[in-house]
Amino acid sequence: MTSSCLNIQKSLAWCQGTPEYAGVRRRIYYLAKSEIVGWPLLERDANGIRATSARYKGDFTLKADAKWKFIDILPDKSQLTSEPQGELPSQTQLNKLVAVHPGVGAEASAAAAYLNNSDNVFIVQDMNDNYRVVGCDKWLTKTTVNQDNGQGASGTTSTTINVEASDEVPAPFYDGEIITEDGIINPKKAA
């Protein structure tokens, strides 16, 4: 029985002096999972069970005419985090995105209705130009939206999008195509 148990552990180096820039970029992308017909895959061990990489291989395949939508956010108030959840041997990651949009107008208010009530997936670009995915095909993504109209002359308005998504790994990396209303974002592939 133990001969089929593969060790997938690897060393984890870091070169001193190498910068690791914190934060996220000012535009995120999202789409209802119902618009996705095929998901990129995580690499698996030889038994096909455990993820051996946090980087997706392949592209999202979307329904005809489906495109990723964008939300402009305030990077200084937005954050992507991941924490463990559950217990051994069923522990997974809970990926959390807090995305703060500055507006509270009719369009931002309408966004709350469809984000709160659909199972979505989000793509976030970090400060090292990596695209990270929040939401997977195995579990539902919970999205809640809060609005704050501010207080007084020095207050600030905001629409805060809170996302919680279980996954096997912390917010998987995505190098594939992102087909948007403005064209294709193809972060790592040669044109």
Side-chain angles (χ1 to χ4, degrees), residues 99-127:
V100 180
H101 176 76
V104 292
E107 290 177 351
S109 297
Y114 54 76
L115 288 171
N116 281 338
N117 293 299
S118 62
D119 187 12
N120 305 293
V121 62
F122 294 80
I123 298 178
V124 181
Q125 186 180 17
D126 68 22
M127 296 307 286

Side-chain angles (χ1 to χ4, degrees), residues 5-191:
C5 293
L6 305 170
N7 185 345
I8 61 172
Q9 293 178 331
K10 300 175 185 175
S11 295
L12 183 60
W14 176 70
C15 296
Q16 189 169 352
T18 303
E20 289 293 331
Y21 301 115
V24 297
R25 301 265 182 193
R26 81 174 215 51
R27 179 166 279 184
I28 62 173
Y29 297 91
Y30 75 98
L31 189 64
K33 288 184 192 174
S34 60
E35 296 294 305
I36 299 171
V37 295
W39 286 71
L41 301 174
L42 292 173
E43 289 183 29
R44 303 271 171 203
D45 65 17
N47 294 326
I49 298 171
R50 294 178 293 176
T52 59
S53 173
R55 188 173 298 281
Y56 275 131
K57 297 287 184 188
D59 295 313
F60 282 99
T61 304
L62 309 181
K63 287 184 177 178
D65 299 325
K67 294 184 177 21
W68 292 91
K69 312 298 186 229
F70 71 85
I71 301 171
D72 287 332
I73 62 172
L74 299 171
D76 291 346
K77 294 186 176 187
S78 301
Q79 184 177 22
L80 175 61
T81 61
S82 184
E83 60 190 47
Q85 65 180 0
E87 295 184 22
L88 185 75
S90 302
Q91 202 168 40
T92 56
Q93 293 295 131
L94 181 60
N95 297 318
K96 295 180 179 183
L97 171 65
V98 176
V100 180
H101 176 76
V104 292
E107 290 177 351
S109 297
Y114 54 76
L115 288 171
N116 281 338
N117 293 299
S118 62
D119 187 12
N120 305 293
V121 62
F122 294 80
I123 298 178
V124 181
Q125 186 180 17
D126 68 22
M127 296 307 286
N128 293 309
D129 291 329
N130 295 302
Y131 287 88
R132 309 287 298 265
V133 177
V134 181
C136 76
D137 57 341
K138 288 183 174 63
W139 296 287
L140 291 174
T141 301
K142 180 181 178 185
T143 306
T144 55
V145 182
N146 305 319
Q147 281 195 327
D148 185 347
N149 283 328
Q151 186 177 37
S154 61
T156 184
T157 63
S158 63
T159 297
T160 303
I161 302 156
N162 297 288
V163 181
E164 291 188 356
S166 295
D167 208 324
E168 293 179 72
V169 299
F173 291 77
Y174 179 63
D175 297 330
E177 291 185 342
I178 304 169
I179 301 170
T180 73
E181 298 165 326
D182 297 327
I184 297 175
I185 299 170
N186 207 353
K188 305 276 188 208
K189 293 182 181 179

